[in-house]
Amino acid sequence: MDQKVLKRLVESISKSVNSFKKSEIECLIRIFHNLVGRGDIKLANVGLDRNTFRVILHSVFGMTDDVLMNRVFFAFDKDDDNYINVKEWVKGLSVFLRGTFEEKLKFCFEVYYFNGDGYISRERIYDMLKNSLHQQSPGEETDEEIRELVDIALKKMDYDNDGKISFADFEKAVKEDRLLLEVFGPCLPEAKSCLDFEALAFQHILTSSF
């Protein structure tokens, strides 16, 4: 990898990502380069496709829900080109690994709403709960039971009673009860997965500092 290109990229990304040191950003860029696996080319012009990214979410971060893994991909892919470029990779991981509560709250909401109108609809809540519950205990919940859970969720989170959950609704509900952050399914990695990833990703920084 061209060291001058790498250095410019680190400098550029560090301006918008405060949670990583420059040495850590460099490590994440190198990992991205290895994952893309397309030789010594301009990293700005390549990216991870959805299938590759899903493999990473599953094998590295322990995610198993296909629907939510797809949604996490789109939450990382800010420019909607169906590839995660190196800047999106580092920015997304900054939320995953070291995001503030507010950053994680925004990320989860973005994962949960699909149609781009800024709301989580009743239908969307039903689909997510059905999918999430099926992952945990296949075939045990009836449609009626799931609809009851949808009603409970809306009653607890739909503060303006418009039949859908806005970001303001979601933010207020989660701030009152942080257990609601991933109420519609796990879309953030567990703490142990994050620590394990960091230990591997940044190990040469630790060893070179002694």
Side-chain angles (χ1 to χ4, degrees):
M1 192 186 309
D2 188 299
Q3 291 302 307
K4 290 182 179 178
V5 172
L6 177 61
K7 187 174 181 180
R8 283 199 300 268
L9 198 52
V10 169
E11 289 295 330
S12 173
I13 294 174
S14 68
K15 291 176 183 177
S16 57
V17 176
N18 300 317
S19 53
F20 293 128
K21 300 174 186 174
K22 289 182 180 179
S23 57
E24 293 171 332
I25 291 174
E26 180 178 330
C27 288
L28 294 176
I29 292 172
R30 290 182 182 278
I31 290 171
F32 177 88
H33 186 268
N34 290 335
L35 289 168
V36 172
R38 291 170 62 182
D40 198 15
I41 52 180
K42 291 184 178 179
L43 284 172
N45 299 328
V46 298
L48 299 171
D49 61 28
R50 198 189 319 181
N51 288 335
T52 304
F53 187 66
R54 280 162 53 103
V55 170
I56 296 166
L57 291 178
H58 177 68
S59 61
V60 178
F61 294 109
M63 293 190 176
T64 57
D65 188 316
D66 288 336
V67 173
L68 287 175
M69 283 194 286
N70 280 338
R71 289 303 304 161
V72 169
F73 173 84
F74 289 118
F76 267 66
D77 178 25
K78 296 299 185 185
D79 61 6
D80 298 321
D81 67 349
N82 288 314
Y83 286 92
I84 294 172
N85 63 41
V86 65
K87 291 183 179 181
E88 291 168 338
W89 163 253
V90 176
K91 286 183 180 181
L93 286 177
S94 75
V95 177
F96 255 30
L97 301 174
R98 299 182 185 173
T100 63
F101 174 70
E102 287 72 19
E103 287 173 334
K104 290 182 177 181
L105 191 151
K106 289 177 182 176
F107 180 85
C108 289
F109 184 79
E110 191 172 346
V111 168
Y112 292 148
Y113 82 82
F114 266 34
N115 53 11
D117 65 356
Y119 293 93
I120 306 172
S121 66
R122 175 182 286 273
E123 293 75 18
R124 179 74 196 114
I125 295 170
Y126 174 85
D127 290 341
M128 287 189 292
L129 288 177
K130 184 176 182 179
N131 178 65
S132 181
L133 291 168
H134 179 73
Q135 294 276 335
Q136 297 170 31
S137 52
E140 290 187 14
E141 288 77 18
T142 66
D143 282 354
E144 185 176 345
E145 288 171 331
I146 295 170
R147 293 189 193 285
E148 287 177 3
L149 290 174
V150 173
D151 289 338
I152 292 169
L154 282 169
K155 186 175 181 180
K156 191 169 183 66
M157 303 180 81
D158 178 21
Y159 289 94
D160 54 8
N161 297 310
D162 62 354
K164 53 192 176 182
I165 298 173
S166 66
F167 178 72
D169 290 331
F170 187 75
E171 181 179 34
K172 185 174 181 181
V174 173
K175 284 186 174 179
E176 289 182 1
D177 183 355
R178 294 200 173 197
L179 292 176
L180 294 174
L181 181 62
E182 296 180 85
V183 64
F184 301 126
C187 54
L188 291 167
E190 294 183 359
K192 185 181 184 304
S193 297
C194 293
L195 291 172
D196 289 346
F197 176 82
E198 286 201 32
L200 287 172
F202 306 141
Q203 61 181 339
H204 89 267
I205 297 175
L206 296 173
T207 54
S208 64
S209 64
F210 289 99

